[in-house]
Amino acid sequence: MAKVTVIGASGKVGQSAAYAISRIPYVTEIVLFGREGGEELLEGLKWDFVDAFAAVGRRIRVTSGTHPSLIKHSDMVIISSGVPRHTGQDRIDLAKKNARIVAGYAEMAAEQAPDSILFVVTNPVDIMTAVALKHSGFPPSRVFGLGTHLDSMRLKSFIAQHFKVHVSEVHTRIIGEHGESMVPLWSATTIGGIQLKNLPEFRTFPGEDMIDWVKDAGHYIIERSGATIYGPAEAIATLARTVLGNENRILSVSAYIRCEVHDIGNICIGVPAMLNRKGVFPIPIRISPEEVDDFQSSVEKLRKVTDEVFEFLGNDEGKNLL
Ligand code: NAP
């Protein structure tokens, strides 16, 4: 039995994620939440959802609106509100704009649903996860972001296509920033349980090209269809199901690390973490020296922007996330 609130439900990702989440058997209530002025749109969506549930014979309560009290007793609060990046706008400018939005909603969620788990989708997601952590005052285990989960799934699917095997035969992971400096963990990539580098085909394996494609996939989709919708929605629903169903799966999400990756810490970044009903718990890992170097570069890049955003928000002690 779980109540899930989606803040930003009037948006493309928010509404499709809410619908994907409504199929999770443990979810008994969904709140479609948005900012003031969006009540009518949210109400329309609510009744469309109700029709869909009637069509499939699903019993689930749906509410919608903009009043903070709707969030009360939520087990999970998902934040996908944010402004999209305009052509020519730099990432830091976008980060500052979205940080204000996410900070406000994180505070609201903490006030209304103090025992909930906060799940951040808004980009740049690693920095927004840090903002939500700080502004909710929640322990790190109860705040996480979509991080590199979708990137990891994209890579998994490309590897499966390349080797012509079922996706379930491929285990792989991308860590680091959800962005340019993401780090594929080839050392943790297996096909049918066999390490990638032990396969004869490894010599001709186009790993670099695949990562370039993963990095560009979001832009490629947005350029052609206007938005990434179904990929993020299903990725969000998978993570929500893993947490709410207490599944103890290890997935790559943006989480606060202390020292789990070669003693690097005090940052929110994509890492493998165990997900269950208590929250998100990064797994201590050892990776190859090249991967550590790349991860360190990704950390430094994020740390710089995170500090700038915290300075902008007026968190003087921002350099220490807890
Ligand atoms: P969208 O369709 O433009 O929706 C944006 C949502 O944010 C709407 O609900 C909108 O509310 C709300 N919003 C905009 N400005 C706001 C403000 N100042 N205060 C409060 N709410 C505000 O965008 P989208 O495609 O759903 O994407 C949403 C976010 O998810 C973006 O940041 C996007 O980059 C991110 N995202 C992340 C990933 C990932 O892998 N981490 C993947 C996909 C998308 P109104 O309807 O009232 O305007």
Side-chain angles (χ1 to χ4, degrees):
M1 303 276 276
K3 171 173 174 175
V4 178
T5 293
V6 179
I7 301 181
S10 56
K12 292 178 280 298
V13 170
Q15 61 178 271
S16 47
Y19 190 68
I21 286 167
S22 73
R23 295 199 313 265
I24 300 171
Y26 329 107
V27 175
T28 45
E29 184 170 356
I30 288 262
V31 182
L32 305 174
F33 194 89
R35 61 173 157 171
E36 265 180 51
E39 291 84 355
E40 220 172 273
L41 191 153
L42 292 164
E43 168 88 358
L45 273 176
K46 174 181 114 173
W47 286 105
D48 200 13
F49 273 39
V50 169
D51 284 354
F53 301 145
V56 293
R58 173 113 166 80
R59 276 168 67 94
I60 177 169
R61 185 171 142 84
V62 200
T63 50
S64 68
T66 61
H67 198 279
S69 64
L70 285 168
I71 300 172
K72 274 191 197 310
H73 308 300
S74 294
D75 297 284
M76 176 176 276
V77 178
I78 299 173
I79 304 177
S80 68
S81 308
V83 288
R85 185 149 71 118
H86 304 297
T87 324
Q89 184 185 31
D90 73 28
R91 274 175 191 274
I92 183 74
D93 191 34
L94 176 79
K96 286 175 180 171
K97 279 210 166 71
N98 283 346
R100 271 208 200 288
I101 299 171
V102 170
Y105 282 139
E107 284 165 19
M108 184 191 282
E111 208 176 295
Q112 300 294 330
D115 298 322
S116 62
I117 291 173
L118 265 183
F119 178 178
V120 181
V121 176
T122 309
N123 272 322
V125 71
D126 301 290
I127 292 153
M128 296 306 119
T129 304
V131 168
L133 174 65
K134 187 107 181 167
H135 282 260
S136 62
F138 280 3
S141 57
R142 286 204 282 121
V143 182
F144 74 103
L146 186 53
T148 45
H149 175 63
L150 182 55
D151 303 307
S152 299
M153 293 305 105
R154 281 175 179 147
L155 179 60
K156 182 177 164 125
S157 140
F158 295 153
I159 294 174
Q161 280 173 43
H162 179 82
F163 286 99
K164 299 188 176 57
V165 295
H166 192 272
V167 279
S168 65
E169 292 299 323
V170 180
H171 277 265
T172 192
R173 209 168 278 290
I174 292 177
I175 61 170
E177 180 201 15
H178 169 61
E180 271 302 306
S181 68
M182 65 178 67
V183 183
L185 290 191
W186 301 122
S187 65
T189 301
T190 60
I191 295 160
I194 298 161
Q195 270 220 322
L196 182 62
K197 67 175 175 16
N198 291 337
L199 291 169
E201 295 96 322
F202 181 60
R203 275 179 290 113
T204 55
F205 175 68
E208 291 293 319
D209 294 347
M210 277 189 194
I211 291 303
D212 287 347
W213 171 237
V214 170
K215 283 181 189 168
D216 193 46
H219 288 126
Y220 186 90
I221 296 166
I222 290 167
E223 255 174 38
R224 282 154 183 83
S225 63
T228 56
I229 303 174
Y230 302 105
E234 290 299 337
I236 293 164
T238 300
L239 297 182
R241 194 196 64 222
T242 306
V243 170
L244 298 171
N246 200 27
E247 290 181 5
N248 283 318
R249 287 180 72 194
I250 298 172
L251 298 169
S252 306
V253 295
S254 189
Y256 178 82
I257 52 167
R258 292 182 169 83
C259 57
E260 290 82 352
V261 186
H262 292 258
D263 292 332
I264 300 165
N266 189 38
I267 187 96
C268 288
I269 192 163
V271 285
M274 167 104 83
L275 273 64
N276 58 38
R277 192 79 191 211
K278 291 202 173 94
V280 167
F281 303 89
I283 302 291
I285 52 167
R286 286 288 173 267
I287 51 180
S288 76
E290 302 81 54
E291 289 165 349
V292 177
D293 286 349
D294 291 348
F295 185 69
Q296 182 77 56
S297 308
S298 193
V299 166
E300 292 321 320
K301 180 182 169 194
L302 280 179
R303 212 187 283 291
K304 189 169 171 291
V305 186
T306 308
D307 286 351
E308 253 184 85
V309 166
F310 277 117
E311 219 164 278
F312 168 76
L313 289 175
N315 302 126
D316 294 335
E317 76 290 22
K319 286 192 164 69
N320 194 0
L321 292 185
L322 296 183

